[in-house]
Amino acid sequence: MSSNSLSYNEQSGGGEAAELGQEATSAISPSGAFGLFSSDLKKNEDLKQMLESNKDSAKLDAMKRIVGMIAKGKNASELFPAVVKNVASKNIEIKKLVYVYLVRYAEEQQDLALLSISTFQRALKDPNQLIRASALRVLSSIRVPIIVPIMMLAIKEASADLSPYVRKNAAHAIQKLYSLDPEQKEMLIEVIEKLLKDKSTLVAGSVVMAFEEVCPDRIDLIHKNYRKLCNLLVDVEEWGQVVIIHMLTRYARTQFVSPWKEGDELEDNEKNFYESDDDQKEKTDKRKKPYTMDPDHRLLIRNTKPLLQSRNAAVVMAVAQLYWHISPKSEAGIISKSLVRLLRSNREVQYIVLQNIATMSIQRKGMFEPYLKSFYVRSTDPTMIKTLKLEILTNLANEANISTLLREFQTYVKSQDKQFAAATIQTIGRCATNILEVTDTCLNGLVCLLSNRDEIVVAESVVVIKKLLQMQPAQHGEIIKHMAKLLDSITVPVARASILWLIGENCERVPKIAPDVLRKMAKSFTSEDDLVKLQILNLGAKLYLTNSKQTKLLTQYILNLGKYDQNYDIRDRTRFIRQLIVPNEKSGALSKYAKKIFLAKKPAPLLESPFKDRDHFQLGTLSHTLNIKATGYLELSNWPEVAPDPSVRNVEVIELAKEWTPAGKAKQENSAKKFYSESEEEEDSSDSSSDSESESGSESGEQGQSGEEGDSSEDSSEDSSSEQGNESGRDSGRENKRTAKKNSKTKGKSDAEDGEKENEKSKTSDSSSAESSSIEDSSSDSESESESESESESRRVTKEKEKKTKQDRTPVAKDVSLLDLDDFNPVSTPVALPPPALSPSLMADLEGLNLSTSSSVISVSTPVFVPTKTHVLLHRMSGKGLAADYFFPRQPCIFGDKMVSIQITLNNTTDQKIENIHVGEKKLPIGMKMHVFNPIDSLEPEGSITVSMGIDFCDSTQTASFQLCTKDDCFSVNIQPPVGELLLPVAMSEKDFKKEQGMLTGMNETSAIIIVAPQNFTPSVIFQKVVNVANVGAVPSGQDNIHRFAAKTVHSGSLMLVTVELKEGSTAQLIINTEKTVIGSVLLRELKPVLSQG
């Protein structure tokens, strides 16, 4: 009987044994030891009896206890025969626990497990997915070569199972089978290829892990699934995210060109003196082709960004290494904040993260400089964390922050942790060598430390000073003299030896002090440590060669002492030195070169970071942590000079386009203008597939990105939308014909207007607008995420609209070139549009759009108040007679659903005509877009004209800077939006308001208590003041003292919920709930003074 079983008996208590087996207790022998073992034997016998019982309840109880034993680390292997009999039990709960047991012990008890193999095979056909998966796990745990064919067959069947959980276990089994029999590789690759096409997020991580284990070099298997993996990444479980990100990092390094080349090319902008014009021309030709990021490369970077906020440290670390290895250097900075956040985790996580930060901070200091204080050492940190933080602080040290760091280091030197204090002294030494401005300050500080009571601190200080003085020996004679004086008080052998070595090396610079030091050392030679004795001998030899008059006798005396020393090292060194420096007839040729040997110039030691050579390992890997290549490590390849053909990744998109082609005549009618289309998803899919096909050509930047978004939304919505598309095919086909006929009648009505509207449409489209891509080449990641959200929302609204229009059967004979407006305004209430901004034809179109009602509970409403306040854009004095004012009309922008509408009034205050008024160069922050007004040919004297513009401020109050130009001049102007103008009012019920508010608590809530002036305490005044500041809609409230307002941000559509709760004593609580915490806090700041003032 094993000791584990005995201890189980003791811990679980004899009471259970008495209850479950009273007969067994009576049969125990009186002998103590024998009695104990018998009791234990009988106890397990009791479990066996329960497993053989006819009652399922007894079996279930026994299995629970056995699994409990395993969880506690007890050995339950002897129960294997009794447990395996129950594998065919009809009770599902017993079956699950039996399989849990078998997975644990199948590898140890292979012979017994093989007896039940037919049962496992039958279980693979079980209707319960958990049983099928468990049977496969047990089968793959029996590591016997004879059942490899059975395992192979089971894996193939499981890979085609309807349950994603079973397919996931099939992916896990692939790795086990490969380790058992590598010859099955080709067949396993076929299964991996099949599973890689799986659209379930449950399977993705497991199959990529199998891919990494079995065939990491088969990059061709990833091509077709690359975009799908990028889009599924956010929804995969955390373990799978880590595996997929590491694999995609390696993939990106083989398939895309380096995004870092741009900087190198810009630096090489000067022509060499002896360079021919042809060479220069070739270089300029190369430079004319700026780097454009592959849309697939951008897709990966964009889709991994949200994972930086993951709760799992491994996921954040994986995304960080991806950004480090494959993103442009200008974008890699965003990972620093996330990595610093991980420093609040436990010490093991801190250790790994700090190691990676240490490697990063060597190459790119700027990334972590803003977070310098996060790397200050805490007293509670373990030594390993402290030393890593010191390493990072050293890497980040520069002229600007070194004074702060040195004050911090002074505190660390006094630490009780002596190992840490010594490491700090080494750090001070490294800072002194890296930043020449503080070298003298550091040296003086280290010299002061020589009088420290702690031996380790003194020894380390001397060693570091020795290294510093080796670099600039001529300038520091005074320090050497000071150290010589300290020899009387310093007792640490290492420190004394270092001082003697320094004096010996610089004996010619301190000719008066060196002999005296030797005299003192000769006096105490016999009592010194062996390390010091060796340096005394060296010092004597050097002085004998440079100053033999004064030191000849002293050196001979020391050599005589060393000749009879107890330590054989010292005796050997003495004989060697005597033969070398004291010439006699036996001396060889070496004695002639004694001076050169002893006083040769020693190279100064290089004080480098221990993390300097780790950058060739992939960050976040075991190899990087150990600084040695670990088993199974897959190296990152260098960037290819020319990117491989990107069209290999288009395979899936082409298949999808074919799949989505509707049956019937709807395809033929597609070219006609249609209002009641079969579904907008079909339009989107055809557009985005054509986009993605052309992306491999000339398209870049935002245009490429938006095409990719189309792909991702197709992929994710295919299952849910295809059924509805097929069902509604016939009806909408007939309606398309009707609509096409009516449109053809009204088509020739106003050709000029139609042409204009077609232009408007082309400008409005988000993904393929050439103008928007020329306005802003690179869009921010947050914008692209919100675009995909708004796309899916508009599609839901479109489906509801189709149902409604099928019931009404009301054909609309309007020109539909502005249909894209419906994407951002799925409203049920009419939108009030001021007449100056829009032409009558545009007004008619906008009103026509309101026929499509939506059942959405939360919808955009008309503004309840439009402030008339104008802002000066260009003063007439600055504009040489041209004056410009702007105001926010609080209406949907006709140029784009994410843009804020702005009306600009231009005045000519001169007596001459101003010609060609237009917008010139734009200086916009990253992600911001602007739709400019059409150039104005001329503005008559004292004339005035109002034009409309649209600016996408990306939900921020950043300034949009641009130039307002005339024929002769250009004037720099700025538009900075008040935070309240970045919102659209929303109509919702009080119940919906409370529900949404409940989901936006914690970090998403900002509040303040304000003292309200008595005249402001009335509901009408509060309402007026709030809507004057912000474009919000009023929410009905059942309580007189609570006023609620709702809006959503123009760019991302995030809800902004404002609550003003009046309390007793003229106080009120102002609460703002929103995901956009920055905008929320700014709005809170603006509302506080407005509500509190009289």
Side-chain angles (χ1 to χ4, degrees):
M1 206 23 65
S2 69
S3 59
N4 283 337
S5 302
L6 174 62
S7 60
Y8 171 73
N9 179 45
E10 290 170 354
Q11 286 183 14
S12 293
E16 282 184 14
E19 283 178 34
L20 297 167
Q22 291 176 2
E23 294 172 12
T25 314
S26 61
I28 293 173
S29 165
S31 167
F34 180 69
L36 276 171
F37 282 98
S38 299
S39 167
D40 193 48
L41 201 126
K42 285 291 179 186
K43 183 171 183 64
N44 279 331
E45 280 296 325
D46 185 56
L47 282 171
K48 288 175 187 174
Q49 286 173 16
M50 291 171 74
L51 288 169
E52 288 168 7
S53 165
N54 293 328
K55 293 182 180 178
D56 283 352
S57 57
K59 289 181 180 179
L60 190 59
D61 189 36
M63 283 311 305
K64 283 179 180 175
R65 284 172 54 194
I66 292 167
V67 171
M69 286 169 66
I70 297 170
K72 289 178 181 175
K74 312 295 182 193
N75 184 12
S77 57
E78 63 176 21
L79 294 165
F80 195 93
V83 172
V84 82
K85 287 176 189 173
N86 290 288
V87 77
S89 171
K90 290 180 182 178
N91 187 308
I92 200 78
E93 294 301 319
I94 296 172
K95 217 176 214 183
K96 284 181 193 173
L97 292 174
V98 168
Y99 277 116
V100 168
Y101 177 90
L102 293 177
V103 168
R104 168 68 180 81
Y105 287 109
E107 196 169 342
E108 293 178 19
Q109 305 273 353
Q110 290 175 354
D111 295 338
L112 287 169
L114 282 172
L115 296 175
S116 304
I117 203 153
S118 59
T119 313
F120 303 145
Q121 286 178 283
R122 278 199 305 277
L124 289 169
K125 303 281 192 298
D126 195 279
N128 188 309
Q129 59 174 356
L130 295 174
I131 300 300
R132 296 200 300 275
S134 298
L136 183 60
R137 288 175 66 193
V138 174
L139 205 57
S140 58
S141 299
I142 305 171
R143 305 183 62 72
V144 180
I146 199 168
I147 65 158
V148 164
I150 298 171
M151 281 173 67
M152 191 70 235
L153 192 64
I155 289 170
K156 279 185 176 178
E157 286 179 4
S159 66
D161 198 284
L162 290 174
S163 165
Y165 181 67
V166 178
R167 299 199 297 273
K168 177 189 177 81
N169 278 278
H172 290 166
I174 288 172
Q175 301 164 58
K176 293 181 181 179
L177 180 54
Y178 178 69
S179 64
L180 182 63
D181 185 8
E183 290 178 10
Q184 302 291 325
K185 183 174 180 177
E186 290 308 314
M187 292 174 75
L188 290 173
I189 289 173
E190 289 175 21
V191 181
I192 289 171
E193 188 173 8
K194 181 181 175 183
L195 286 172
L196 277 170
K197 293 174 185 173
D198 202 304
K199 291 176 183 173
S200 170
T201 53
L202 204 61
V203 182
S206 303
V207 70
V208 169
M209 188 67 215
F211 169 83
E212 291 280 80
E213 288 285 328
V214 178
C215 52
D217 53 331
R218 286 290 303 274
I219 293 292
D220 57 295
L221 298 179
I222 304 299
H223 291 323
K224 303 168 219 148
N225 304 293
Y226 172 80
R227 290 173 188 164
K228 183 195 70 180
L229 286 171
C230 288
N231 291 319
L232 289 182
L233 196 54
V234 181
D235 299 316
V236 176
E237 83 276 10
E238 292 165 343
W239 176 82
Q241 284 173 345
V242 175
V243 176
I244 294 172
I245 291 169
H246 277 279
M247 185 275 291
L248 290 177
T249 305
R250 287 194 308 108
Y251 179 87
R253 286 291 285 258
T254 60
Q255 298 302 308
F256 308 125
V257 292
S258 171
W260 307 330
K261 285 183 181 176
E262 189 177 9
D264 302 338
E265 286 177 11
L266 291 173
E267 286 171 12
D268 185 25
N269 54 3
E270 291 183 11
K271 179 180 172 182
N272 291 332
F273 189 76
Y274 293 106
E275 190 173 42
S276 68
D277 290 338
D278 293 338
D279 294 341
Q280 182 68 10
K281 191 177 179 184
E282 281 177 23
K283 282 194 174 184
T284 52
D285 288 345
K286 282 182 187 174
R287 222 175 277 135
K288 278 177 189 173
K289 298 175 184 175
Y291 167 76
T292 53
M293 183 177 282
D294 188 299
D296 287 330
H297 192 171
R298 170 59 61 197
L299 177 73
L300 175 58
I301 292 171
R302 188 175 67 233
N303 283 16
T304 49
K305 185 183 177 184
L307 297 179
L308 284 171
Q309 297 172 16
S310 173
R311 63 184 179 178
N312 189 310
V315 175
V316 177
M317 192 62 244
V319 178
Q321 65 83 27
L322 178 134
Y323 265 78
W324 177 260
H325 290 300
I326 73 163
S327 75
K329 292 184 179 178
S330 59
E331 294 178 31
I334 63 166
I335 65 174
S336 51
K337 190 173 184 179
S338 301
L339 289 176
V340 169
R341 172 173 66 85
L342 294 184
L343 297 182
R344 302 191 187 111
S345 310
N346 56 54
R347 59 177 63 182
E348 290 79 15
V349 172
Q350 283 185 54
Y351 181 71
I352 298 297
V353 172
L354 287 168
Q355 276 200 325
N356 287 282
I357 291 175
T359 302
M360 293 182 197
S361 59
I362 294 170
Q363 292 183 29
R364 302 182 201 168
K365 290 185 179 184
M367 277 175 60
F368 295 97
E369 274 179 13
Y371 306 100
L372 189 71
K373 289 186 179 177
S374 300
F375 303 110
Y376 284 178
V377 173
R378 294 188 177 89
S379 57
T380 53
D381 287 337
T383 306
M384 60 178 184
I385 302 295
K386 288 178 180 174
T387 49
L388 277 171
K389 284 186 174 179
L390 273 180
E391 179 64 37
I392 294 164
L393 289 173
T394 312
N395 294 341
L396 298 180
N398 55 32
E399 293 84 350
N401 58 29
I402 187 65
S403 56
T404 314
L405 288 178
L406 286 177
R407 279 200 299 276
E408 190 74 13
F409 293 157
Q410 282 174 12
T411 314
Y412 298 166
V413 169
K414 298 169 188 171
S415 169
Q416 296 299 313
D417 184 347
K418 299 308 168 192
Q419 190 182 343
F420 169 54
T424 305
I425 293 165
Q426 289 179 353
T427 299
I428 294 170
R430 273 180 58 198
C431 289
T433 56
N434 296 340
I435 303 163
L436 299 176
E437 288 85 350
V438 295
T439 305
D440 294 337
T441 312
C442 293
L443 260 176
N444 293 335
L446 290 169
V447 169
C448 294
L449 289 176
L450 294 175
S451 55
N452 196 295
R453 292 179 184 176
D454 193 276
E455 296 182 354
I456 296 174
V457 172
V458 174
E460 206 63 49
S461 302
V462 170
V463 171
V464 173
I465 290 171
K466 184 185 82 171
K467 288 176 181 175
L468 291 176
L469 292 183
Q470 268 186 274
M471 294 174 184
Q472 299 171 320
Q475 299 172 17
H476 298 289
E478 289 302 314
I479 292 177
I480 296 169
K481 289 176 187 175
H482 179 69
M483 290 176 74
K485 291 174 187 173
L486 290 172
L487 264 176
D488 297 335
S489 55
I490 290 176
T491 56
V492 182
V494 182
R496 291 174 72 80
S498 295
I499 294 171
L500 291 172
W501 183 90
L502 260 179
I503 293 169
E505 281 297 296
N506 300 282
C507 57
E508 291 176 333
R509 292 192 183 86
V510 283
K512 293 180 180 176
I513 292 172
D516 195 49
V517 169
L518 185 66
R519 179 183 62 79
K520 287 182 180 178
M521 290 296 104
K523 198 186 292 183
S524 61
F525 184 87
T526 50
S527 60
E528 294 288 353
D529 188 86
D530 292 344
L531 191 64
V532 182
K533 286 179 182 176
L534 289 171
Q535 289 304 328
I536 294 171
L537 289 169
N538 285 351
L539 175 63
K542 289 169 186 173
L543 286 172
Y544 186 92
L545 294 169
T546 56
N547 189 2
S548 60
K549 285 183 183 178
Q550 281 184 294
T551 57
K552 187 175 180 180
L553 292 172
L554 262 177
T555 305
Q556 286 179 349
Y557 171 68
I558 289 167
L559 290 173
N560 286 332
L561 288 173
K563 186 178 179 180
Y564 301 105
D565 197 89
Q566 291 180 353
N567 189 302
Y568 55 82
D569 280 337
I570 293 164
R571 295 198 298 272
D572 282 352
R573 178 71 63 87
T574 304
R575 292 191 193 99
F576 163 69
I577 288 174
R578 191 188 293 274
Q579 290 299 319
L580 201 57
I581 64 170
V582 182
N584 56 34
E585 60 278 358
K586 291 182 182 178
S587 297
L590 267 181
S591 58
K592 297 175 187 175
Y593 305 105
K595 193 167 184 178
K596 285 185 179 180
I597 291 168
F598 276 102
L599 297 170
K601 191 175 180 182
K602 278 82 173 176
L606 245 124
L607 300 176
E608 285 186 335
S609 168
F611 289 86
K612 192 172 183 181
D613 59 340
R614 293 196 189 198
D615 53 357
H616 58 277
F617 290 117
Q618 187 175 349
L619 293 182
T621 58
L622 179 64
S623 300
H624 176 268
T625 304
L626 300 176
N627 198 20
I628 189 170
K629 189 174 179 180
T631 310
Y633 173 72
L634 301 167
E635 288 188 359
L636 279 178
S637 59
N638 294 323
W639 295 102
E641 288 296 321
V642 180
D645 181 17
S647 63
V648 291
R649 292 184 289 277
N650 289 344
V651 176
E652 190 176 3
V653 179
I654 294 164
E655 285 172 2
L656 273 172
K658 286 176 185 172
E659 243 178 79
W660 279 71
T661 304
K665 298 178 183 177
K667 178 78 176 175
Q668 297 166 8
E669 294 295 327
N670 222 8
S671 57
K673 292 184 179 180
K674 55 192 178 180
F675 191 85
Y676 301 105
S677 63
E678 177 171 327
S679 72
E680 278 186 22
E681 281 125 44
E682 287 173 20
E683 266 182 61
D684 290 347
S685 83
S686 60
D687 288 344
S688 58
S689 63
S690 64
D691 281 350
S692 59
E693 284 167 18
S694 61
E695 270 161 20
S696 56
S698 62
E699 286 184 16
S700 64
E702 189 186 13
Q703 201 165 347
Q705 291 173 27
S706 55
E708 287 306 321
E709 280 169 20
D711 297 341
S712 67
S713 56
E714 281 170 26
D715 195 59
S716 59
S717 64
E718 180 192 356
D719 297 333
S720 60
S721 306
S722 57
E723 292 173 15
Q724 184 183 343
N726 291 333
E727 286 168 11
S728 62
R730 299 189 201 109
D731 294 339
S732 55
R734 285 198 294 271
E735 287 193 351
N736 276 341
K737 285 182 183 177
R738 273 188 223 161
T739 312
K741 284 177 187 175
K742 296 209 175 188
N743 280 345
S744 62
K745 287 177 187 175
T746 57
K747 202 172 185 179
K749 223 172 192 180
S750 164
D751 289 339
E753 273 184 28
D754 285 353
E756 280 179 24
K757 289 169 189 172
E758 283 301 317
N759 289 338
E760 286 291 326
K761 180 179 177 182
S762 67
K763 288 175 187 174
T764 310
S765 63
D766 284 320
S767 59
S768 53
S769 161
E771 183 161 345
S772 64
S773 63
S774 66
I775 285 170
E776 189 57 47
D777 288 331
S778 62
S779 83
S780 70
D781 292 340
S782 61
E783 179 192 339
S784 58
E785 289 160 19
S786 61
E787 275 181 6
S788 60
E789 288 171 18
S790 64
E791 276 176 23
S792 59
E793 184 184 347
S794 66
R795 287 176 181 179
R796 286 198 299 274
V797 172
T798 309
K799 289 176 190 174
E800 290 164 6
K801 183 176 72 180
E802 279 176 19
K803 291 176 187 174
K804 182 76 177 172
T805 49
K806 281 176 191 174
Q807 292 165 9
D808 294 348
R809 298 282 181 183
T810 310
V812 178
K814 299 234 175 245
D815 191 328
V816 289
S817 60
L818 285 175
L819 252 182
D820 288 345
L821 286 172
D822 197 35
D823 287 348
F824 73 80
N825 193 19
V827 297
S828 55
T829 53
V831 180
L833 300 170
L838 301 171
S839 64
S841 61
L842 289 179
M843 286 279 288
D845 280 332
L846 282 167
E847 285 169 3
L849 288 173
N850 294 324
L851 293 171
S852 61
T853 56
S854 163
S855 61
S856 180
V857 178
I858 300 169
S859 58
V860 176
S861 62
T862 53
V864 290
F865 176 76
V866 179
T868 54
K869 182 183 177 183
T870 59
H871 310 267
V872 176
L873 182 66
L874 180 65
H875 194 271
R876 59 187 178 83
M877 299 296 288
S878 310
K880 297 182 180 178
L882 176 66
D885 298 309
Y886 68 93
F887 83 102
F888 298 90
R890 292 190 175 178
Q891 65 186 24
C893 182
I894 59 171
F895 305 119
D897 59 328
K898 293 181 171 58
M899 290 188 174
V900 176
S901 183
I902 299 166
Q903 287 192 12
I904 298 176
T905 305
L906 301 165
N907 293 299
N908 183 358
T909 61
T910 66
D911 54 0
Q912 295 177 352
K913 188 189 289 186
I914 298 177
E915 296 182 344
N916 191 19
I917 303 172
H918 63 280
V919 173
E921 184 188 354
K922 296 181 284 292
K923 295 178 182 175
L924 304 175
I926 292 172
M928 196 180 284
K929 292 188 213 165
M930 178 188 289
H931 191 289
V932 301
F933 58 84
N934 292 326
I936 298 162
D937 295 334
S938 64
L939 187 59
E940 297 300 323
E942 302 301 324
S944 175
I945 189 169
T946 300
V947 291
S948 291
M949 284 178 64
I951 301 178
D952 181 358
F953 288 103
C954 296
D955 290 348
S956 73
T957 54
Q958 293 183 84
T959 303
S961 303
F962 58 95
Q963 287 190 332
L964 191 60
C965 300
T966 62
K967 184 181 177 183
D968 305 314
D969 298 293
C970 283
F971 311 103
S972 294
V973 293
N974 301 312
I975 294 179
Q976 184 170 21
V979 69
E981 304 303 334
L982 300 174
L983 307 172
L984 287 172
V986 164
M988 63 164 70
S989 66
E990 185 178 7
K991 182 182 175 184
D992 290 325
F993 184 96
K994 289 178 178 177
K995 180 185 172 187
E996 294 292 340
Q997 191 177 33
M999 291 190 284
L1000 293 169
T1001 54
M1003 296 285 285
N1004 297 322
E1005 183 174 286
T1006 49
S1007 63
I1009 300 291
I1010 51 177
I1011 298 169
V1012 183
Q1015 62 268 35
N1016 291 358
F1017 234 66
T1018 59
S1020 58
V1021 175
I1022 289 173
F1023 174 80
Q1024 187 58 41
K1025 285 185 176 290
V1026 171
V1027 297
N1028 192 30
V1029 171
N1031 187 16
V1032 293
V1035 176
S1037 176
Q1039 297 156 283
D1040 293 337
N1041 66 322
I1042 297 178
H1043 306 280
R1044 296 186 175 92
F1045 305 89
K1048 71 173 188 177
T1049 57
V1050 176
H1051 174 82
S1052 64
S1054 302
L1055 280 176
M1056 179 79 65
L1057 307 177
V1058 180
T1059 310
V1060 181
E1061 186 177 350
L1062 301 175
K1063 298 184 181 280
E1064 295 177 0
S1066 296
T1067 59
Q1069 185 174 21
L1070 178 60
I1071 304 168
I1072 295 178
N1073 301 80
T1074 180
E1075 286 178 357
K1076 300 286 180 182
T1077 50
V1078 176
I1079 294 184
S1081 56
V1082 174
L1083 184 59
L1084 187 80
R1085 277 207 306 271
E1086 292 198 10
L1087 283 173
K1088 273 170 67 177
V1090 172
L1091 291 172
S1092 57
Q1093 70 191 13

